[in-house]
Amino acid sequence: MSILYICRHCRSHVGQIDRDTVDEARLGFQFLTPGERRDIISYNPDGNVIVKVTCDYCREALEANPELSLLSNPLQ
């Protein structure tokens, strides 16, 4: 099982951590509120943890064009 980091905007694969080498507490997940956990962390049928982040490309695009943040899915 792995922890997969996926961009919340463009769905690109950002990174992956082998779950056997790290646990959720070492990643700081315990500091998230229940709402943040629901928004950021999910689990797929294979038992992998999916963490939604923003990739560098999407971050730069949103910084350059803040009006994109008003759209529900700005960078498809």
Side-chain angles (χ1 to χ4, degrees), residues 22-53:
V22 67
D23 59 9
E24 291 185 12
R26 290 190 62 199
L27 295 172
F29 291 168
Q30 74 275 15
F31 296 112
L32 297 173
T33 66
E36 290 170 332
R37 284 186 73 87
R38 282 190 301 274
D39 185 45
I40 296 171
I41 302 170
S42 61
Y43 302 87
N44 70 8
D46 298 333
N48 294 324
V49 178
I50 308 296
V51 181
K52 291 182 257 175
V53 296

Side-chain angles (χ1 to χ4, degrees), residues 7-11 39 52-54 58 62 65-76:
C7 179
R8 68 174 53 252
H9 303 288
C10 68
R11 312 283 191 274
D39 185 45
K52 291 182 257 175
V53 296
T54 302
C58 291
L62 289 166
N65 303 287
E67 68 277 4
L68 291 175
S69 64
L70 300 173
L71 302 173
S72 61
N73 196 3
L75 305 166
Q76 300 179 33

